[in-house]
Amino acid sequence: MAWWARARQRRSARCARGAGHAGLPPTGFALLPWLLMGLGSFSNLLQGQAENPWIGGLGLLVFNSLYVYVTFRAFDREKRRSLPTRLALLTMGLVTTGLAAGYGGNWLLFFPLLGLATGATLRGRHLGGIGLLLAAYAAVLAGLREGWREAPNIGYATFLSCMVTAAILSLSEAVRELRAAREELARRAVEKERLRFSRDLHDLLGHTLSVIVVKSEAARRLAGRDLDAALAQIGDIESVGRQALTEIREAVTGYREGSLSTELTRARSALAAASVEPVVRQSGAPLAPQTEALLGWVVREAVTNVVRHSHATRCEITVESAGERVRLTITDNGTPTAAPAPGGTGLTGLTERLTTAGGSLTAGPAPAGGFTVTAELPAAPVDPGTEDAIPVALES
């Protein structure tokens, strides 16, 4: 019974696809069953209990046609607010008045149908007053035609059908709008997470592969004259590769928390392997983990660009934490035209991250030559007890 198993799989797939959707929006078909309230007047016509049956039949046809027209347009916001819909509703009121005043009895039930169409069409803050006026009008007409004992029933039925219909349809529309907003927020969250992962992967692989290439070139140059040094470079390549695998796994799960000191250590190693003299200065109070993580990304990206593009012989990295702000400056003495433009993928992603955290990132040629990357962020202590920490100064 393979065909039966395939049919069950297709049915399960359709159910799974429809589980997260609200289904088709309601239409005028949802209000058509209420026309059965007019069966009493139709029965009067068939049994010959109504005077001038042709006029009554024509009025019944016109009312039903207008009811269908108005209710189907009531589920479209643009159409229900249009002039043709309002004119059709007004015409319904005139036809209902004529039929109720001329025939009475079962024909008075067209007023609750008119209230239903009114509630479906005229939703808003003024509907309560309109519903009360329509109910009072129906009650007065019913009292004049059939006696005042019947008036409260017709008035109450008219008001109730008007207000309940408006409440149900408005609530249904609000629920669908909220569900659509929730789905839009979920879609944006997925896009944001995809962007985060792509930026993390770019920064991780760009830096790691650059370090591997530089150290591989160094190992190739040293292999002929200093085997021990070449083996040390190869060992560094293995260590960098293993660390990259760990960082990629952590980036995939979203739990990677960068360390500025770790990135500074790696920057020294990468710059030295590329024959670039590293100079690192760090001063100020300890930084919050989030601030350290963001500055670590900047160090990683900027040092990668120095190694790959600058042709520099010296690179200075300065971290200054004073007051409420921390500044990271990375300057090289290479060729500015060889440096990547600020609109590059890595710097663009870092700019977005720092801006979101209340900071800024600038990059461009330095006044004295070379290229400079400057990042600023709010500097928050790790905890309140570190606010009075003694500043430290490190230089290498």
Side-chain angles (χ1 to χ4, degrees):
M1 301 294 287
W3 64 272
W4 174 252
R6 288 194 298 269
R8 291 186 62 183
Q9 290 177 355
R10 288 194 297 268
R11 185 165 59 251
S12 300
R14 286 195 298 269
C15 292
R17 288 194 299 268
H21 298 278
L24 295 176
T27 64
F29 288 105
L31 302 180
L32 287 185
W34 293 102
L35 284 176
L36 296 176
M37 295 176 63
L39 284 179
S41 58
F42 184 69
S43 176
N44 291 341
L45 291 176
L46 292 180
Q47 296 177 7
Q49 298 176 359
E51 298 179 358
N52 301 317
W54 290 106
I55 296 178
L58 180 61
L60 186 61
L61 177 62
V62 172
F63 180 89
N64 289 340
S65 301
L66 290 172
Y67 178 88
V68 172
Y69 176 80
V70 169
T71 53
F72 270 84
R73 293 173 67 88
F75 290 90
D76 187 300
R77 183 172 299 179
E78 299 273 336
K79 292 181 179 179
R80 73 167 174 259
R81 294 177 178 176
S82 64
L83 182 60
T85 305
R86 304 298 172 89
L87 291 177
L89 186 62
L90 179 60
T91 306
M92 277 185 65
L94 296 176
V95 172
T96 303
T97 300
L99 293 176
Y103 294 97
N106 292 327
W107 299 77
L108 292 171
L109 295 178
F110 286 120
F111 271 112
L113 289 176
L114 176 62
L116 190 149
T118 302
T121 305
L122 304 181
R123 310 176 202 172
R125 58 183 180 179
H126 301 298
L127 181 62
I130 296 174
L132 287 174
L133 290 176
L134 182 60
Y137 177 73
V140 170
L141 190 59
L144 294 175
R145 185 65 175 78
E146 295 293 330
W148 295 105
R149 295 184 59 182
E150 189 67 21
N153 295 332
I154 297 299
Y156 178 73
T158 302
F159 180 77
L160 189 65
S161 63
C162 177
M163 302 308 296
V164 170
T165 301
I168 292 176
L169 295 183
S170 297
L171 181 61
S172 174
E173 190 173 89
V175 168
R176 290 183 176 277
E177 290 177 354
L178 288 174
R179 184 176 285 112
R182 184 181 63 184
E183 292 176 354
E184 177 66 17
L185 290 175
R187 183 186 64 82
R188 293 186 180 182
V190 171
E191 291 181 355
K192 183 178 180 180
E193 180 62 18
R194 185 182 295 119
L195 179 61
R196 180 203 68 81
F197 178 71
S198 65
R199 286 189 299 207
D200 285 2
L201 199 61
H202 168 272
D203 295 342
L204 287 171
L205 293 182
H207 173 79
T208 302
L209 293 178
S210 297
V211 172
I212 289 175
V213 169
V214 170
K215 287 187 173 292
S216 299
E217 292 176 349
R220 177 176 52 81
R221 292 194 304 266
L222 295 171
R225 62 177 186 272
D226 191 343
L227 184 58
D228 292 337
L231 291 176
Q233 294 292 336
I234 294 174
D236 290 343
I237 293 174
E238 181 182 1
S239 177
V240 169
R242 293 183 183 276
Q243 182 64 29
L245 288 175
T246 302
E247 290 178 348
I248 289 175
R249 294 191 188 101
E250 293 174 348
V252 169
T253 55
Y255 294 123
R256 186 176 190 274
E257 194 68 45
S259 170
L260 180 59
S261 59
T262 302
E263 295 299 338
L264 290 175
T265 301
R266 294 175 182 171
R268 291 189 186 95
S269 176
L271 291 170
S275 300
V276 180
E277 179 187 358
V279 179
V280 180
R281 302 183 181 91
Q282 185 175 3
S283 62
L287 304 176
Q290 182 182 6
T291 304
E292 283 211 7
L294 289 172
L295 294 180
W297 283 115
V298 177
V299 171
R300 174 186 289 264
E301 177 66 22
V303 169
T304 299
N305 290 336
V306 171
V307 172
R308 295 174 59 185
H309 304 289
S310 68
H311 306 293
T313 59
R314 178 183 174 88
C315 179
E316 297 185 3
I317 304 175
T318 304
V319 182
E320 299 174 320
S321 177
E324 298 180 354
R325 306 288 290 183
V326 57
R327 172 179 292 184
L328 168 66
T329 305
I330 302 173
T331 304
D332 63 74
N333 63 348
T335 305
T337 56
T345 304
L347 292 179
T348 300
L350 289 174
T351 302
E352 294 173 355
R353 292 184 183 188
L354 267 66
T355 301
T356 302
S360 63
L361 179 70
T362 58
F371 198 81
T372 299
V373 176
T374 302
E376 289 192 5
L377 278 171
V382 177
D383 54 66
T386 61
E387 291 182 355
D388 299 327
I390 300 176
V392 296
L394 303 176
E395 182 171 348
S396 62

